[in-house]
Amino acid sequence: MFEVIKQEGKARRGVFTCPHGTAQTPVFMNVGTQGVIKGAVSAHDLKEIGCQIELSNTYHLHLRPGDETVRELGGLHRFMDWDGPILTDSGGFQVFSLSGLRKIKEEGVTFASHIDGRRIFMGPEESMRIQANLGSDVAMAFDECIENPAPLPYVQQSCERTVRWLERCVTEHRRLMEQPDCVNPGQMLFGINQGGTYPEVRIWHMQEIAKLDCDGYAIGGLAVGEPTQVMYDIIDVVEPYMPKDKPRYLMGVGTPSNIIEGVARGVDFFDCVMPARNARHGKLYTWSGTINIKNEKYKLDQRPIDPGCTCPACASFSRAYLRHLFVAGEMLAMRLAVLHNLHFYNELMVRIRAALDEGTFEEFRRKYAPILDRPARGNET
Ligand SMILES: [Zn+2]
């Protein structure tokens, strides 16, 4: 299911196999929250921009159109016409970040839907059932994502509960996978490490959840308010306790530099809404740094967004045209920008993997980690 084929320092080059195919790692998962990428980008477009794994959202699909509806329509793969790997998050993050009113108990969480305020209960069993109905290839455990900073006693108490929740996830997931009408009987389950910014809680929690022999392990609860260096330090602290033979997933991270630094620390899977969100605001990634396409200086610029890019936007359209679309408020502006930024992220992973294959990742890291997140300088802009 997962094989590390090469290593440089802690950075790993691997191959991940699941019921809907194989992904080369390190991999960036493209986020289609509601079964679509925001900015009018479909699953067919994802094929064209080099996406290997699509990520959808349990919370959103449970509320709308409803996971039972998706199941009746043959599961999420058929519903959105994507035949590649899909990972679904557990809904935990959204329950804790989107719903103002919520009540946490041992059984689970009662919260108000952000759409109509209706009261909904979700616990480990409910999350597993929803993800089984969606039929994703990887289900994520139901956890509490704690904001940083949080008081130590609360983090300890929450992490103890998250271990108990994971035990319940494992039991329910096993039961669901044995049902004769299961949408995707080969669905895997990843556990999630929490512990805020407390190294000792992070380590204890990782050791506890590693005992449950999940198919992979994620580091959650980072990039939620703490400084970047603290995030890197926590990855360094947890990594030695993560099983070596299983995929590791850093949830919700991050910028191109964050991803390079995550790979350097032994992470295999990433996801983030940032490239698509930035694109919709006109902030685009290039190999010389970021540019704001809405800027006046691109008014007569006939070059593509990035001269080296092979995405559908760069193949045909100029910066001047894209800027015009943004200024005019045309929907195509967002679509082209999102296609470019996601293609850039997927291409970033292609280059990271090539560097790992050639044993030149450290050189790649030194060259690109300092420049990709900051505004581009010089002639390129
Ligand atoms: Zn492009």
Side-chain angles (χ1 to χ4, degrees):
M1 287 191 302
F2 183 66
E3 193 190 353
V4 177
I5 52 176
K6 205 162 180 194
Q7 207 160 337
E8 184 179 331
K10 284 189 170 179
R12 292 138 55 100
R13 170 75 178 90
V15 181
F16 171 74
T17 305
C18 65
H20 286 84
T22 291
Q24 304 296 321
T25 68
V27 61
F28 178 77
M29 298 184 281
N30 293 210
V31 184
T33 301
Q34 313 208 47
V36 59
I37 287 76
K38 277 192 203 306
V41 171
S42 78
H44 298 185
D45 297 311
L46 287 183
K47 289 269 175 201
E48 208 184 332
I49 58 171
C51 169
Q52 297 190 85
I53 306 178
E54 194 273 344
L55 187 154
S56 281
N57 190 274
T58 291
Y59 169 91
H60 286 283
L61 291 171
H62 175 55
L63 297 191
R64 194 171 49 195
D67 50 285
E68 294 285 353
T69 302
V70 175
R71 179 195 171 88
E72 244 176 81
L73 294 165
L76 191 52
H77 286 90
R78 193 185 295 175
F79 188 46
M80 64 185 288
D81 201 23
W82 167 258
D83 60 5
I86 297 179
L87 180 144
T88 42
D89 62 13
S90 67
F93 179 79
Q94 283 71 25
V95 167
F96 289 99
S97 64
L98 283 183
S99 59
L101 296 163
R102 56 173 190 253
K103 201 170 173 196
I104 312 171
K105 285 185 178 173
E106 184 63 27
E107 298 77 49
V109 189
T110 307
F111 60 95
S113 155
H114 76 286
I115 299 171
D116 55 10
R118 155 173 80 98
R119 305 293 289 169
I120 297 170
F121 174 80
M122 197 187 287
E125 289 79 11
E126 287 73 17
S127 175
M128 290 301 105
R129 276 173 225 151
I130 295 166
Q131 295 183 76
N133 282 341
L134 297 174
S136 56
D137 296 283
V138 180
M140 296 303 298
F142 187 72
D143 64 334
E144 179 184 0
C145 181
I146 311 159
E147 272 174 38
N148 295 326
L152 178 61
Y154 185 79
V155 175
Q156 281 170 326
Q157 183 203 353
S158 165
C159 282
E160 284 166 15
R161 184 170 50 216
T162 297
V163 174
R164 295 191 293 274
W165 281 1
L166 180 58
E167 287 165 357
R168 286 165 52 190
C169 284
V170 169
T171 305
E172 179 66 4
H173 185 256
R174 201 169 289 152
R175 188 187 74 78
L176 289 164
M177 290 305 109
E178 284 163 4
Q179 301 304 306
D181 56 350
C182 181
V183 177
N184 185 358
Q187 185 185 62
M188 300 174 187
L189 174 63
F190 283 15
I192 306 174
N193 171 251
Q194 293 286 350
T197 52
Y198 301 102
E200 64 282 12
V201 185
R202 283 276 175 186
I203 292 170
W204 173 82
H205 190 252
M206 190 61 237
Q207 288 173 321
E208 289 301 308
I209 62 174
K211 289 176 193 165
L212 293 169
D213 197 28
C214 294
D215 299 302
Y217 286 94
I219 305 179
L222 290 180
V224 287
E226 79 288 353
T228 304
Q229 191 55 49
V230 171
M231 172 172 83
Y232 293 156
D233 292 346
I234 291 293
I235 304 168
D236 283 331
V237 160
V238 177
E239 184 276 335
Y241 300 91
M242 303 185 87
K244 303 257 177 281
D245 57 344
K246 297 192 171 160
R248 298 145 166 197
Y249 164 25
L250 180 58
M251 301 181 83
V253 176
T255 66
S257 300
N258 294 158
I259 288 176
I260 294 170
E261 291 302 321
V263 168
R265 286 166 172 80
V267 176
D268 310 299
F269 284 46
F270 300 86
D271 83 283
C272 195
V273 294
M274 191 190 298
R277 182 179 292 159
N278 280 341
R280 296 194 298 273
H281 291 101
K283 183 179 171 183
L284 306 177
Y285 293 96
T286 80
W287 287 94
S288 320
T290 62
I291 66 170
N292 185 341
I293 197 66
K294 293 191 266 189
N295 201 303
E296 173 81 24
K297 68 182 171 185
Y298 301 122
K299 192 174 179 180
L300 292 169
D301 196 332
Q302 298 195 52
R303 294 174 294 176
I305 301 161
D306 189 327
C309 182
T310 57
C311 86
C314 292
S316 306
F317 304 107
S318 66
R319 293 176 180 182
Y321 182 62
L322 196 53
R323 175 181 178 274
H324 160 69
L325 295 180
F326 266 104
V327 171
E330 283 292 340
M331 276 188 279
L332 185 60
M334 293 200 188
R335 177 174 152 77
L336 292 176
V338 170
L339 287 173
H340 170 81
N341 271 5
L342 289 182
H343 179 277
F344 180 89
Y345 265 61
N346 294 330
E347 178 65 19
L348 171 68
M349 307 317 288
V350 168
R351 295 199 192 183
I352 287 173
R353 293 194 297 270
L356 284 167
D357 285 336
E358 290 157 18
T360 56
F361 174 71
E362 200 43 48
E363 207 176 296
F364 179 92
R365 177 190 183 187
R366 273 198 304 272
K367 182 173 177 191
Y368 289 111
I371 62 168
L372 294 182
D373 294 1
R374 70 172 195 219
R377 297 170 190 163
N379 187 39
E380 286 305 319
T381 68

